[in-house]
Amino acid sequence: MRRRRRPALPVFMLGIVLTLLAASPALASTYRYWSFWDGAGGTWAYATQGPSSMRPADGSVQGFHFVVSKDAADQAAPPRTAPDFAAICSATAPVTGKKRIALVIDFGTPAEAQAGETPPQDAPRTACAQVGPDATTAEALAEVAKPLRYNSAALLCAVSGYPKQGCGEPLADTAATPAPDKPADASADPSAGSDGGGGPSAGLFAGIAAVALLAAAAVWQSRRRRTR
């Protein structure tokens, strides 16, 4: 009796899945970038929009922190100064037709700086921007922290000229790079826009691809059993 030769497709799919799963940790690179935070309610939360699209209301607090992190949603640390609008904007009198936005700019630590660069100051900088009612956070930031630098994808690369080079690229040696501790009360959101300064998480896409392949393999096997 001749044995029916089994198709190699399931084995091929399994090989792809195992390859993707094995590669996922390597794809979760570490990034150095400007993270963007919203201080609504007196607590920092990772912004769900980028600074070029967010239009904060009068009395809002927005934060920027230059960080080293593997994943914006889970590991990026918020600015080291509390989001306190009254403390930041108390000396700026309200003006009709304008809104006041409190800004916290944290340049990070020397350990997080790029080679050959030093943060402009150790402690976070605070400023009160007085801008038009429809102004974005990026416009408010430009009022108090020029020069700003963006890349072609509208990702914020530098605040007050820091850093001088680079823009969110993955670090070459992640093992030797110090990463900030994850804050216990950070509420992060990985869905921030491309101009939000959040570092990408490539492992997520590999995981999705692996799940999709497993599902396809299961459907194929089910149909094969029916045709026997």
Side-chain angles (χ1 to χ4, degrees):
M1 181 181 292
R2 294 180 60 186
R3 293 184 178 179
R4 179 183 295 178
R5 186 177 182 182
R6 294 185 178 181
L9 183 58
V11 177
F12 173 71
M13 284 186 171
L14 179 60
I16 294 178
V17 170
L18 292 176
T19 300
L20 283 170
L21 291 176
S24 293
L27 290 173
S29 300
T30 298
Y31 296 84
R32 181 185 285 114
Y33 62 99
W34 277 102
S35 59
F36 176 39
W37 300 80
D38 181 31
T43 302
W44 289 121
Y46 204 86
T48 57
Q49 299 180 57
S52 296
S53 57
M54 182 173 285
R55 299 180 188 276
D58 178 67
S60 297
V61 185
Q62 308 277 271
F64 295 87
H65 189 193
F66 193 66
V67 297
V68 173
S69 169
K70 282 190 175 182
D71 189 288
D74 294 332
Q75 295 186 8
R80 292 170 293 168
T81 293
D84 189 338
F85 176 81
I88 298 171
C89 286
S90 59
T92 304
V95 174
T96 303
K98 297 278 188 177
K99 64 182 179 182
R100 293 178 298 168
I101 307 300
L103 295 166
V104 176
I105 304 166
D106 190 339
F107 295 95
T109 65
E112 295 167 318
Q114 296 182 160
E117 295 205 46
T118 303
Q121 59 188 64
D122 295 331
R125 177 191 303 173
T126 61
C128 187
Q130 200 158 53
V131 291
D134 294 328
T136 64
T137 302
E139 291 171 321
L141 184 64
E143 287 289 319
V144 301
K146 290 181 179 178
L148 305 180
R149 177 166 57 87
Y150 292 87
N151 68 3
S152 59
L155 179 68
L156 180 63
C157 304
V159 177
S160 294
Y162 180 80
K164 296 178 181 179
Q165 301 179 26
C167 194
E169 298 88 356
L171 304 186
D173 184 7
T174 59
T177 303
D181 293 333
K182 176 183 173 183
D185 60 346
S187 176
D189 191 323
S191 63
S194 63
D195 59 341
S201 180
L204 173 64
F205 298 105
I208 293 174
V211 172
L213 283 172
L214 283 172
V219 172
W220 187 89
Q221 286 280 25
S222 177
R223 290 179 178 175
R224 181 168 170 266
R225 292 193 187 96
R226 292 174 188 167
T227 57
R228 285 181 175 178

